[in-house]
Amino acid sequence: MGEYANIKSKQFVRLLKWLQRTKGIECYDGGRHNYKIKVIHTGKTYPIPSSHREINKHIVKAFMEWLVEQDVCTKKEFDRHL
């Protein structure tokens, strides 16, 4: 589990903007979670709780695994833009 660390919300928002521009996802506000990420070509959504200044490393890792599973990006691309 030592791969990822807690990241600042500002850095995470930059990652989401990159994914929106290049990889075909949409971000929504809603529910208890601040962001809901939707993959356009599959229609699946993923909630991201981001109401704090930092995003927990477990959330970051789970989000990366979900993106790879949905064929949105590779682990290398995610790491490069994180």
Side-chain angles (χ1 to χ4, degrees):
M1 190 64 222
E3 296 178 54
Y4 295 102
N6 295 349
I7 63 169
K8 302 275 184 192
S9 291
K10 187 176 183 179
Q11 186 178 6
F12 192 73
V13 168
R14 275 189 255 139
L15 172 71
L16 291 178
K17 286 181 181 178
W18 171 75
L19 287 169
Q20 281 184 312
R21 283 192 316 268
T22 60
K23 299 296 182 175
I25 68 162
E26 295 175 343
C27 296
Y28 299 103
D29 294 333
R32 295 182 195 172
H33 305 284
N34 287 353
Y35 296 112
K36 288 198 181 215
I37 311 303
K38 180 179 179 183
V39 179
I40 294 172
H41 69 275
T42 63
K44 296 189 178 182
T45 60
Y46 190 83
I48 300 286
S50 60
S51 59
H52 301 287
R53 289 184 186 190
E54 288 189 340
I55 308 293
N56 189 304
K57 64 184 175 183
H58 301 289
I59 295 170
V60 173
K61 184 172 188 249
F63 182 60
M64 180 273 304
E65 290 171 351
W66 183 79
L67 287 174
V68 171
E69 182 181 299
Q70 300 300 317
D71 293 327
V72 173
C73 68
T74 63
K75 184 179 183 312
K76 269 187 173 177
E77 289 176 326
F78 185 85
D79 291 344
R80 191 173 342 129
H81 286 91
L82 191 59

